[in-house]
Amino acid sequence: MTDSVILDVWCELQCPDCHSALDDVRALRARYGDRLDIRLRHFPLEKHKHAFAAAQAAEEAAEQGQAWPYTEAVLARSSELGERGEAVLLDVARELGLDVEEFDTALIDGRHILIVDADQAEGKAIGVTGTPTYVIDGERLDGGKSQAGLRARIEEIADRLLGA
């Protein structure tokens, strides 16, 4: 039995499947609160040209204390991100009251690239091929193929680990 459990969510901010997975993430957060540490991990896919910049922007949002609100807001506009590109990333930062100049600078100077690269490398090493992919207690659950039943499986593992 443990106090908290880590759930890594390998995500890509231009991915429609990641957007639909948000309901599960919200439900898990509501059910477990602080007992489930939901960590955003980046896995930008080459087919989405703005995903790498979006991952860096999410890291800047994390630095400014708004990782999940920012991630959720960008995912809600994933198709617009595909059309308008990085302007959407700055619009979302502005709407959340974040320091837009810092976002702009972070995207130019690449200060978060190493974090995104490290996430991507770790993801590849453990067999992540698409997004969303969840990892809990060493088990990889691929949500890129289907979301069906994933939340129940995550809850089953979390309940076991938390001794619920």
Side-chain angles (χ1 to χ4, degrees), residues 47-126:
K47 67 181 177 182
H48 294 136
K49 66 181 179 186
H50 303 295
F52 195 81
Q56 293 176 70
E59 281 302 313
E60 181 57 35
E63 214 160 86
Q64 294 188 33
Q66 294 285 325
W68 279 107
Y70 185 83
T71 297
E72 292 188 19
V74 173
L75 280 170
R77 295 164 72 169
S78 57
S79 59
E80 187 186 349
L81 177 60
E83 294 157 20
R84 291 184 48 229
E86 293 182 18
V88 173
L89 302 174
L90 299 176
D91 288 349
V92 171
R94 192 173 295 110
E95 287 158 19
L96 290 173
L98 299 172
D99 184 337
V100 178
E101 281 183 28
E102 270 311 299
F103 268 82
D104 204 26
T105 305
L107 290 171
I108 293 165
D109 71 17
R111 68 181 74 157
H112 303 299
I113 286 177
L114 290 176
I115 295 170
V116 177
D117 282 347
D119 273 3
Q120 204 164 25
E122 186 182 330
K124 285 179 180 161
I126 63 168

Side-chain angles (χ1 to χ4, degrees), residues 121-142:
E122 186 182 330
K124 285 179 180 161
I126 63 168
V128 174
T129 55
T131 56
T133 296
Y134 306 91
V135 177
I136 182 169
D137 194 35
E139 185 172 336
R140 190 179 75 239
L141 305 164
D142 185 354

